[in-house]
Amino acid sequence: MVLTEIEPFQPADLSQIGSGLNRPECVLAASDGSLYTGDWTLGIARIAPDGTTGPAVEADLIAQGFRPNGIALTADGDFLFANMGKAGGVWRVGRRGEARPFATELDGTAIPRTNFVLVDGDRAWITISSLGRKHDHFTAEENTGQILLVHDGKVTVAADGLNWTNELRLSPDGKYLFVNETFACRTTRYGVAADGLLSNPVRITYPEDTFPDGMAVDAEGALWIVCVISNRLIRIAPDMTWTVVFEDVNRSELDAIASAHAEGRLTWDQISHSRGSRVSNLSSIAFGGPDLKTLYLGGLGNREVQVLWSPVAGMPMEHWR
C-alpha cells in the first residue's frame, strides 16, 4: 500500500476539548464520541462530545491512593488502569463499584507501579517503565523496564531489560508488537508468536531530543508516535521509515534538555517545565470521531485534550469492535 502523504501540522491547527484536567496522560476515544483520560483529580475523566468534563467512574480512585496512568476499556465496558500509585499493578473498575485487582502479582511478588495497559482479545499487555522508579535522573541506562502479558489470569514477563517502557500497540495483523522506550529515544518492534512470545526485536533510534511516549495505528498500517518533552508527532511506515508530521518546541529549552539527558543529569523538574508555544509534554494520541479522522492528543502539562484533523483514518481499537 502506498501511504497517504501527510502535510505537517502546525501548532495553529490545534483546537481543544475538555477542561480542568489534571495530567491527561492517556487518552481513549470511544465510538459514541466520548473521550476518557487518566486524571489525578477525577481518577478517570470522561469528556462528553460537547466538551463537558466529569468523572467516568463512581469510585474515588484518587482518595484510595490510586494514580491511573494508562487506561483501557474492556469488552463489557469496564476500565483497566495502570496504577502509578504505591500499590502498583493494574486494576479493574466499572462505572459503578470499587476497583479490584486485575494484575497485581507476578510469581507471588507484588507488581510495582505500572505505566500502560492494552487489551488484546482475551489477553492484555502491560508495561512497567522501571522496576525501581526511584531515580533522580532519567537516563538511557535505566534498563529495568518490562512488558508483561496477562492470559487466562496468569501474568508472565514477555520482555525485560527495556528503557522506560511506555505505550505499546500491535500491528493490524497482530504479527508485531511496538513499544516505546522513552529515554533510550527509540521504538522497538517485536515479532509476536501465537502464544504471545516476543522475539526478533527491531529498533528505530531517534535523535537525542526525541522522547517517544504514546502511539496509535492508522488504517494504512502506519504507526503514529507522540513524543513527550519535544511535543513531536512522528509517523512510522510499515517498512520502519519515519517522518515528523508535527512539532511544537522551544528550541533552546529542548537543546538544554537533550544535553542534560546525554550527560545523565535530566531531572523531572526540567521535564515538567518544558513547553512549546501551545502544548506541554504531549504523551498520548488516539484516533476518534465518526470517521476516525480526529486526532486527540493528551499531555502531562495541559488541562485539556488537543485536537487535530487527520487526512488518514485511524485503526479502530479493541473497544470499538
Side-chain angles (χ1 to χ4, degrees):
M1 176 187 290
V2 177
L3 293 186
T4 300
E5 187 171 341
I6 305 294
E7 187 71 23
F9 306 101
Q10 301 301 318
D13 297 329
L14 291 166
S15 59
Q16 293 77 36
I17 189 170
S19 62
L21 298 168
N22 181 356
R23 196 182 179 277
E25 203 277 350
C26 178
V27 178
L28 281 184
S31 57
D32 67 357
S34 299
L35 300 177
Y36 299 98
T37 77
D39 187 279
W40 285 12
T41 298
L42 299 174
I44 299 174
R46 175 181 181 266
I47 304 171
D50 66 359
T52 304
T53 304
V57 299
E58 197 174 67
D60 192 344
L61 300 177
I62 302 304
Q64 296 168 28
F66 294 111
R67 296 295 181 267
N69 199 65
I71 59 174
L73 274 167
T74 66
D76 57 5
D78 283 358
F79 291 96
L80 301 182
F81 65 89
N83 178 34
M84 290 184 71
K86 185 177 180 181
V90 172
W91 297 71
R92 183 177 186 133
V93 65
R95 312 297 170 123
R96 293 179 174 82
E98 296 302 317
R100 54 199 189 277
F102 174 77
T104 55
E105 289 190 358
L106 172 64
D107 296 330
T109 300
I111 295 174
R113 292 173 170 90
T114 53
N115 183 289
F116 187 70
V117 57
L118 178 73
V119 171
D120 172 25
D122 61 353
R123 309 187 296 196
W125 302 88
I126 296 167
T127 61
I128 297 173
S129 295
S130 164
L131 290 176
R133 292 196 66 101
K134 294 181 178 178
H135 4 259
D136 296 321
H137 300 97
F138 295 80
T139 73
E141 282 70 53
E142 183 65 34
N143 296 318
T144 62
Q146 293 183 323
I147 299 173
L148 307 183
L149 175 62
V150 184
H151 192 209
D152 292 333
K154 181 176 175 58
V155 185
T156 56
V157 177
D160 58 12
L162 293 99
N163 181 276
W164 203 260
T165 330
N166 224 304
E167 288 200 18
L168 46 73
R169 290 288 188 277
L170 291 158
S171 61
D173 58 11
K175 292 181 179 180
Y176 299 107
L177 182 143
F178 296 84
V179 63
N180 283 331
E181 297 182 74
T182 300
F183 293 104
C185 302
R186 68 177 174 236
T187 298
T188 299
R189 186 192 73 185
Y190 289 97
V192 184
D195 62 359
L197 180 69
L198 301 181
S199 63
N200 302 321
V202 175
R203 297 181 173 92
I204 295 174
T205 300
Y206 305 108
E208 291 183 351
D209 63 353
T210 302
F211 303 96
D213 192 329
M215 61 172 74
V217 181
D218 71 26
E220 297 180 347
L223 190 68
W224 295 60
I225 303 287
V226 66
C227 301
V228 72
I229 305 172
S230 50
N231 299 321
R232 193 169 285 153
L233 186 54
I234 291 168
R235 190 180 188 222
I236 302 175
D239 66 2
M240 302 290 275
T241 58
W242 57 277
T243 56
V244 175
V245 296
F246 175 81
E247 183 177 84
D248 182 18
V249 297
N250 178 314
R251 189 70 250 176
S252 61
E253 185 178 75
L254 182 60
D255 288 346
I257 285 175
S259 294
H261 175 254
E263 296 167 7
R265 53 180 179 83
L266 179 61
T267 66
W268 173 247
D269 186 62
Q270 288 173 287
I271 295 170
S272 64
H273 287 93
S274 65
R275 293 197 63 86
S277 65
R278 299 283 294 273
V279 293
S280 175
N281 278 304
L282 290 180
S283 56
S284 176
I285 178 172
F287 286 92
D291 57 1
L292 282 165
K293 287 187 174 182
T294 305
L295 286 171
Y296 296 104
L297 306 175
L300 297 172
N302 291 114
R303 305 285 286 175
E304 61 284 308
V305 171
Q306 308 297 314
V307 183
L308 288 169
W309 180 82
S310 169
V312 178
M315 179 67 63
M317 292 186 68
E318 187 88 13
H319 58 270
W320 281 65
R321 298 168 186 164

